[in-house]
Amino acid sequence: MSAPSVITIDGPAGAGKSTLGALLARRLGYLFFDTGVMYRALAWAVLRSAIDPENSEAVAALARDLDIQVLPPGSATDGRPYTVLVDGVDVTWELRRPDVEQIVSIAARHPAARAVMRERQRAIGRRGRVVMVGRDIGSIVMPDAPLKIYLDASIDERARRRTREIQQRGGSADLQHIRDDIIRRDSLDRHVSAPAADACIIFSDGLSPEQVVDIVIARIDESGGDSQDTRAYERAKNPDSAGT
Ligand code: DC
């Protein structure tokens, strides 16, 4: 099977995008790139600098200055899917802190800060062989991507999954509190979360992560690796190679 060189996965918080992205990337031998960590890294830096997360100019200036690196987990044995360095500091687990969760949607809302993040995301996407996960990847960051998935699930299912995920990491989680927080974040994120018009929408209630991966793989098989879409993407990426 030859897969499209860029696969985008968008959808609301807790829909299972990261789980799907990591599994799919592993199956295809692709890079897994969770763009949410860039906004979390920005939120972490906002807290570190004691900037007002509502201050769009200050947040955008910080975004421009920030060195964010998302690397393979290397020799870490704590179950991390990747290592995130902000200005050289390993913040991988700190990005999951409740105070980061609390402000990330606010820090991620400013257009100028988003423009900086999107350009960096595009640079990684253009290299190809990547599964990119986020909110606006198929619609805005990589609109020419040959395969776009929009993963959705009911609020109750998303709250249950998030609770389980936190508990599996050894944290304590209250289902009702998490459900309320998902509703809060949906409303803050909704301006960036619309599916691309050509996205394949998967509603994952009642499906295991492996079943969702199988649906995506079936979709890739159906479209054929050398699909028109893939060739169009390659041409858009490198106009000089048109026709090859
Ligand atoms: O997927 P996540 O929970 O790690 O995302 C963290 C925040 O970043 C969330 O508020 C949505 C936002 N985000 C975004 O606005 N655009 C993206 N491409 C990815 C995440």
Side-chain angles (χ1 to χ4, degrees), residues 108-139:
R109 206 166 47 182
H110 308 298
R114 296 194 70 79
V116 175
M117 295 297 168
R118 284 171 172 160
E119 215 26 70
R120 293 185 191 174
Q121 292 158 9
R122 272 183 204 117
I124 294 169
R126 275 192 221 109
R127 294 186 213 147
R129 295 184 60 84
V130 59
V131 178
M132 290 178 74
V133 170
R135 299 289 194 288
D136 54 352
I137 307 303
S139 54

Side-chain angles (χ1 to χ4, degrees), residues 35-36 39-40 104-105 108 114 134-137 185 189 192:
T35 62
Y39 293 100
R40 286 173 181 266
V104 64
S105 301
R114 296 194 70 79
R135 299 289 194 288
D136 54 352
I137 307 303
R185 287 182 52 192
D189 294 340
V192 285

Side-chain angles (χ1 to χ4, degrees), residues 139-194:
S139 54
I140 296 174
V141 177
M142 303 296 290
D144 296 320
L147 179 59
K148 300 172 186 173
I149 307 295
Y150 188 87
L151 190 62
D152 207 349
S154 68
I155 286 178
D156 287 328
E157 177 82 18
R158 289 155 57 202
R160 274 195 296 275
R161 287 182 191 159
R162 264 281 145 101
T163 306
R164 213 178 307 133
E165 203 181 285
I166 294 169
Q167 287 169 343
Q168 278 166 357
R169 283 205 302 266
S172 68
D174 172 62
L175 181 65
Q176 188 57 42
H177 176 77
I178 288 181
R179 191 177 184 283
D180 292 345
D181 195 55
I182 284 180
I183 293 170
R184 178 186 72 89
R185 287 182 52 192
D186 276 1
S187 111
L188 286 168
D189 294 340
R190 72 179 178 280
H191 62 294
V192 285
S193 294

Side-chain angles (χ1 to χ4, degrees), residues 144 231-239 241:
D144 296 320
R231 287 198 302 272
Y233 172 75
E234 293 298 340
R235 276 200 301 276
K237 201 173 70 159
N238 180 10
S241 72

Side-chain angles (χ1 to χ4, degrees), residues 23-97:
L23 286 173
L24 193 59
R26 197 178 318 141
R27 283 265 280 264
L28 299 173
Y30 278 21
L31 175 73
F32 165 49
F33 178 31
D34 180 357
T35 62
V37 302
M38 294 184 70
Y39 293 100
R40 286 173 181 266
L42 178 61
W44 179 88
V46 163
L47 291 170
R48 179 186 62 174
S49 322
I51 285 172
D52 176 2
E54 304 271 3
N55 182 335
S56 58
E57 272 174 35
V59 174
L62 186 62
R64 280 190 284 272
D65 282 350
L66 217 52
D67 176 28
I68 304 172
Q69 292 188 52
V70 186
L71 307 168
S75 55
T77 53
D78 54 7
R80 60 180 61 195
Y82 35 64
T83 291
V84 186
L85 303 182
V86 175
D87 294 338
V89 181
D90 183 345
V91 296
T92 311
W93 291 118
E94 295 204 13
L95 300 186
R96 306 287 148 189
R97 268 178 6 205

